Amino acid sequence: MSADFVALASKRQGFCLFRWVLPLALCAACGSDDGSGRRPSLGPALPSTDVETESLACDDGLAVLDFDATERSLAEAYADDFKIGVAVSRGIASGRDDAAAALVAAQYNRATPENAFKWQSIQNVEGEFDFSQADAFLDFAESHGMEVHGHTLVWHQQVPGWVFEAPGGQTLTREALLARLDAHMAALATHLGARVQYWDVVNEAFNDQGQLNDTPWRRIIGPDYIEQAFLLAGRYFPQAKLVYNDFSMEQPGKRDAVAQMVRDFKARGVRIDAIGSQGHFRIDAPSLDAVAQSIEAFGEAGVEVLISEMDVDVLPPASDSQGADLSVNAALSARLNPYVDCLPAAVSERATARWADLFEVFVQHRETVASVTLWGVSDGYSWLNNWPVNGRTNYPLLFDRELRPKVAWQRLIEAAEASP
Ligand code: XIL
């Protein structure tokens, strides 16, 4: 599902101005989804009592009333620490949401294309390159003076099947797949040139235990495919910093394997400049210690760290999987989607504390952390409304569905302004 659809869907959730300034009881139209002014029902009785209590007590602690997001900027507040980035969707880059575009320009100084640089967006059919989305994104980022973090060259998701197929159903050879990767990078280098400052060369190659995932890239090229990709990228993008990007980098097995890979590459002259630690955090996991240890491990291996896709998931986990594996899916249920109408203040406060705690860790490691990129402009744009369960209402970012700054945003600005 595209981020554009997510944004559209979120706009349908309705908005009640008075929701933020009057007690909920006085606002009969709050939460109206269809313009009728009728408050939608909370749905079927929810099985878990604590969730039910929180939903019914919904009194919203989300919006900030006395802060103007156009006057204060996260990027400016953290200018002495690191860049503040954001994933920009196709709709925003192509001018379909002026208010969100203005927020991006005001708050962030680095941009990652949420989908526009992925293989399927650029070369969905072999040899037919479509740079329309990429061009729109680059024009947008450059017009606002933002640095560009390219995402992503080698990944087993959002890549068309033909990349791994040989004519007549034969097994593709290592040489043939490397040649396809070479041709893809060559086209990107010719078209995008030096406009990309960072490139995610390989995305999500390791499992939590630190072994290579069983992907077509690994099966066809062999276990040195990461190295081959970095060597190619080094030739085609000499001016860009080269990044290995993954989720759950706080898992000791994955963390240690990635740090070891960095040391090995450096020892053998394979250029790697940064680790992208996606930072798809849950409200209660991983621990702050684990986050700090992971940043330190990569810093000690000699690369900068980019917190590359940050969000804070406030919904109940849909599975045991703590990562951000796109292939994980679960069915929609009331239990998994408890905050359809609004986020209870108690949960909002926990999320606010989590944002503040995580940023404190990043600032403590600012010699290593070069950027913190949020995976979306506002709650309505977040992929977490549709992964791992399609159609949930999540609250994982710093601006709400009406693009108003949250208390968490205010807390982060104040923390930065108070720090020496
Ligand atoms: C997500 C996008 O946000 C969605 O719009 C898209 O439908 C699926 O991919 N890890 C990554 C990102 O590296 O590319 C993913 O982005 C989120 C997880």
Side-chain angles (χ1 to χ4, degrees), residues 1-3 114-115 118 151 155 158 203-204 245 278 280 309 324 326 375 383:
M1 171 162 311
S2 76
E114 187 170 2
N115 291 298
K118 290 174 180 171
H151 174 77
W155 194 21
Q158 297 183 277
N203 198 31
E204 302 177 0
N245 193 56
Q278 290 184 6
H280 293 294
E309 306 184 10
L326 241 56
W375 205 243
W383 74 301

Side-chain angles (χ1 to χ4, degrees), residues 361-380:
V361 173
F362 303 150
V363 170
Q364 281 162 0
H365 294 84
R366 64 184 181 185
E367 300 302 325
T368 304
V369 175
S371 60
V372 179
T373 291
L374 275 51
W375 205 243
V377 179
S378 60
D379 287 344

Side-chain angles (χ1 to χ4, degrees), residues 100-135:
L103 194 57
V104 168
Q107 295 294 320
Y108 304 96
N109 51 14
R110 183 176 287 176
T112 304
E114 187 170 2
N115 291 298
F117 284 16
K118 290 174 180 171
W119 196 305
Q120 71 178 19
S121 303
I122 286 186
Q123 193 189 180
N124 202 32
V125 176
E126 184 166 17
E128 291 181 18
F129 290 88
D130 176 0
F131 286 102
S132 54
Q133 285 187 55
D135 288 340

Side-chain angles (χ1 to χ4, degrees), residues 8-92:
L8 261 181
S10 76
K11 282 201 175 303
R12 295 188 61 250
Q13 297 215 345
F15 163 53
C16 172
L17 176 69
F18 303 105
R19 182 183 202 166
W20 317 105
V21 288
L22 294 174
L24 187 68
L26 296 180
C27 184
C30 276
S32 169
D33 199 22
D34 52 7
S36 67
R38 191 165 34 84
R39 189 174 172 76
S41 91
L42 288 172
L46 300 170
S48 155
T49 48
D50 56 335
V51 165
E52 185 171 13
T53 308
E54 287 185 336
S55 288
L56 293 171
C58 217
D59 58 353
D60 212 298
L62 275 176
V64 175
L65 301 174
D66 56 349
F67 256 65
D68 183 348
T70 60
E71 285 177 8
R72 281 190 151 100
S73 145
L74 277 173
E76 277 171 29
Y78 285 90
D80 292 339
D81 302 307
F82 32 67
K83 300 280 181 184
I84 302 285
V86 65
V88 174
S89 74
R90 181 183 188 176
I92 293 174

Side-chain angles (χ1 to χ4, degrees), residues 109-287:
N109 51 14
R110 183 176 287 176
T112 304
E114 187 170 2
N115 291 298
F117 284 16
K118 290 174 180 171
W119 196 305
Q120 71 178 19
S121 303
I122 286 186
Q123 193 189 180
N124 202 32
V125 176
E126 184 166 17
E128 291 181 18
F129 290 88
D130 176 0
F131 286 102
S132 54
Q133 285 187 55
D135 288 340
F137 167 82
L138 282 172
D139 290 346
F140 175 86
E142 288 171 357
S143 72
H144 295 299
M146 303 172 85
E147 286 188 350
V148 169
H149 181 155
H151 174 77
T152 178
L153 296 170
V154 172
W155 194 21
H156 50 283
Q157 300 283 1
Q158 297 183 277
V159 53
W162 68 260
V163 173
F164 309 111
E165 289 161 8
Q170 292 176 352
T171 310
L172 195 71
T173 64
R174 165 186 166 95
E175 288 68 32
L177 183 51
L178 284 170
R180 282 178 182 170
L181 180 58
D182 191 313
H184 189 71
M185 282 197 208
L188 286 168
T190 303
H191 194 87
L192 309 179
R195 298 169 78 186
V196 179
Q197 284 80 50
Y198 285 80
W199 260 114
D200 287 341
V201 178
V202 177
N203 198 31
E204 302 177 0
F206 290 91
N207 67 19
D208 287 358
Q209 289 71 44
Q211 290 135 358
L212 287 180
N213 286 321
D214 181 23
T215 70
W217 293 105
R218 187 203 177 289
R219 282 198 296 278
I220 297 170
I221 296 177
D224 67 332
Y225 84 90
I226 306 178
E227 176 177 341
Q228 296 301 326
F230 273 84
L231 289 170
L232 273 178
R235 283 209 288 284
Y236 282 117
F237 305 102
Q239 75 297 324
K241 292 200 176 179
L242 305 183
V243 187
Y244 174 76
N245 193 56
D246 211 330
F247 58 79
S248 293
M249 292 288 227
E250 300 77 20
Q251 291 286 337
K254 183 179 283 199
R255 176 196 70 205
D256 294 347
V258 171
Q260 180 54 33
M261 177 184 76
V262 170
R263 280 191 291 271
D264 173 51
F265 278 16
K266 285 181 168 283
R268 294 187 299 107
V270 180
R271 183 161 72 87
I272 181 166
D273 304 296
I275 292 300
S277 182
Q278 290 184 6
H280 293 294
F281 299 113
R282 299 201 53 77
I283 200 166
D284 53 1
S287 73

Side-chain angles (χ1 to χ4, degrees), residues 273-407:
D273 304 296
I275 292 300
S277 182
Q278 290 184 6
H280 293 294
F281 299 113
R282 299 201 53 77
I283 200 166
D284 53 1
S287 73
L288 298 175
D289 276 353
V291 174
Q293 283 164 19
S294 155
I295 295 170
E296 287 159 17
F298 302 135
E300 282 160 19
V303 284
E304 53 185 69
V305 171
L306 320 174
I307 308 300
S308 55
E309 306 184 10
M310 184 174 178
D311 37 35
V312 174
D313 187 344
V314 302
L315 294 183
S319 73
D320 291 342
S321 162
Q322 281 203 359
D325 181 349
L326 241 56
S327 63
V328 174
N329 279 298
L332 183 62
S333 67
R335 185 186 68 78
L336 292 177
N337 193 26
Y339 311 132
V340 175
D341 193 42
C342 61
L343 190 67
V347 186
S348 176
E349 279 160 21
R350 281 170 53 215
T352 300
R354 181 78 168 143
W355 279 97
D357 290 348
L358 285 163
F359 262 70
E360 198 178 326
V361 173
F362 303 150
V363 170
Q364 281 162 0
H365 294 84
R366 64 184 181 185
E367 300 302 325
T368 304
V369 175
S371 60
V372 179
T373 291
L374 275 51
W375 205 243
V377 179
S378 60
D379 287 344
Y381 276 98
S382 172
W383 74 301
L384 291 177
N385 295 305
N386 290 297
W387 179 91
V389 179
N390 201 4
R392 292 201 293 180
T393 304
N394 212 329
Y395 302 80
L397 293 165
L398 292 178
F399 295 88
D400 73 9
R401 284 176 165 71
E402 303 302 326
L403 304 179
R404 289 163 306 189
K406 299 185 189 176
V407 176

